[in-house]
Amino acid sequence: MDYLSFITALSIGLLGGAHCIGMCGGVIGALTMAVDTRDTARRVSLIVAYNAGRIASYVLIAVVFYLLIDQLESYFALGIIRSLAGFLLIAMGLYLANWWRGLVYLEKLGAHLWRLIQPLSKRLLPVKTLWHASLLGIIWGWLPCGLIYSALVYSATASSAANAAFVMFGFALGTLPTVLLGSFMAERFSAFIKKKNVRNIMAVCIIFFGVWTIINNHAHHIGHGTHSDHSTALQVGY
C-alpha cells in the first residue's frame, strides 16, 4: 500500500477543511434540521450514514479515474499527471487563501455533470431514513469541488487501482473531522475555520504539498515503462 501517499492525502483532506465547510454545509444543515434536536442518536446516525456514502463515492470515483488514466502506457505521460497533481494542490492552496481563484473554472466544468446528478438528491429530502442519508452522501460525492479534483488526480499517481482507492480513502478520512465538527458545532467551528489566519496557514501547507509533489516527480522521473511496471517510482514522494 502507498502509505506515504495515504498520509499526504489524509493531510490534504484535513487542511482543506475550510473548503469542506463551505461545500457541504448546506446538506449537513438539511440532515440535522430533519430531526428533532432532542433526538441526538438519530441525528448522529444520519450524519454518519451520509458521510459513509460520501466516502464510498470518493473511493469509487478514484478507482474509475485511475482505470482511465491507466490506459496511458507512457511513463512520460504519467509524469505529467503527477506534475498536474502538484499544480492542482498549489491552485487549491491559493484558492483557500483567496489569493487566486483559478480553480473556479475547473469547478465550472464539473458543474455540467452535477446538473444532471443534483436533481436526484432533491428526491431524498427531507432525509427520513439511513438509506436515504447514505444515498445523499453518494450523490453529494460528485459535487464539483476543486479540493476533490486535486485529491483525485493525486490518487491517480498510485501504483494500482487498489492503492488509488486507498489514497482517496485517506483524503476522505481527512475531511471527516471538519464535516463532523461542522455538523455539531456549526456556528462556532465555522467561525474558527473561516478566520483569515487559519485559512492562510492551511493554504500554505497545501501549497507546500503541491511543490513537494512536483519536485519529487522531477527528481524521480527517469527511465520509461508502464503504470504497473513502476509501482515504486509512481509513489509521490519516492
Side-chain angles (χ1 to χ4, degrees):
M1 288 294 182
D2 296 343
Y3 292 105
L4 178 59
S5 295
F6 175 87
I7 293 172
T8 302
L10 180 72
S11 302
I12 293 168
L14 285 168
L15 293 168
H19 194 60
C20 291
I21 286 292
M23 301 299 284
C24 292
V27 69
I28 290 296
L31 283 173
T32 54
M33 289 177 64
V35 181
D36 192 315
T37 55
R38 295 168 293 182
D39 194 351
T40 304
R42 181 157 178 74
R43 291 179 70 193
V44 171
S45 63
L46 287 177
I47 290 170
V48 169
Y50 162 77
N51 281 287
R54 182 175 63 87
I55 291 172
S57 187
Y58 289 169
V59 172
L60 174 62
I61 294 169
V63 171
V64 172
F65 187 66
Y66 175 90
L67 293 176
L68 292 174
I69 294 298
D70 194 44
Q71 300 305 309
L72 297 172
E73 294 295 329
S74 168
Y75 182 56
F76 175 75
L78 293 172
I80 294 176
I81 296 296
R82 291 195 296 275
S83 292
L84 177 61
F87 283 117
L88 281 175
L89 289 176
I90 293 172
M92 188 66 234
L94 296 172
Y95 181 79
L96 279 178
N98 204 27
W99 294 331
W100 181 67
R101 300 183 64 81
L103 274 186
V104 169
Y105 299 104
L106 184 59
E107 291 178 348
K108 286 181 178 179
L109 290 176
H112 295 295
L113 177 61
W114 179 240
R115 289 193 192 98
L116 300 176
I117 298 174
Q118 187 183 23
L120 297 175
S121 65
K122 294 180 180 179
R123 299 178 183 178
L124 301 172
L125 297 174
V127 178
K128 297 180 179 179
T129 67
L130 295 179
W131 175 239
H132 282 177
S134 298
L135 285 177
L136 188 63
I138 291 172
I139 293 171
W140 214 255
W142 293 84
L143 180 75
C145 169
L147 183 64
I148 296 174
Y149 296 156
S150 301
L152 186 61
V153 175
Y154 185 82
S155 71
T157 66
S159 55
S160 67
N163 275 327
F166 182 58
V167 171
M168 199 64 179
F169 180 66
F171 164 76
L173 284 184
T175 66
L176 199 55
T178 300
V179 175
L180 291 178
L181 283 172
S183 302
F184 298 107
M185 304 170 57
E187 292 184 8
R188 186 180 305 176
F189 186 70
S190 295
F192 169 76
I193 206 85
K194 290 178 181 178
K195 287 183 178 179
K196 185 176 180 179
N197 289 340
V198 174
R199 291 176 67 94
N200 287 351
I201 291 172
M202 291 178 170
V204 169
C205 290
I206 290 180
I207 290 171
F208 167 79
F209 278 123
V211 172
W212 176 67
T213 299
I214 294 170
I215 291 175
N216 277 276
N217 174 45
H218 286 288
H220 296 93
H221 186 60
I222 55 175
H224 299 279
T226 65
H227 209 166
S228 57
D229 292 336
H230 294 268
S231 59
T232 303
L234 290 180
Q235 296 182 26
V236 178
Y238 180 71

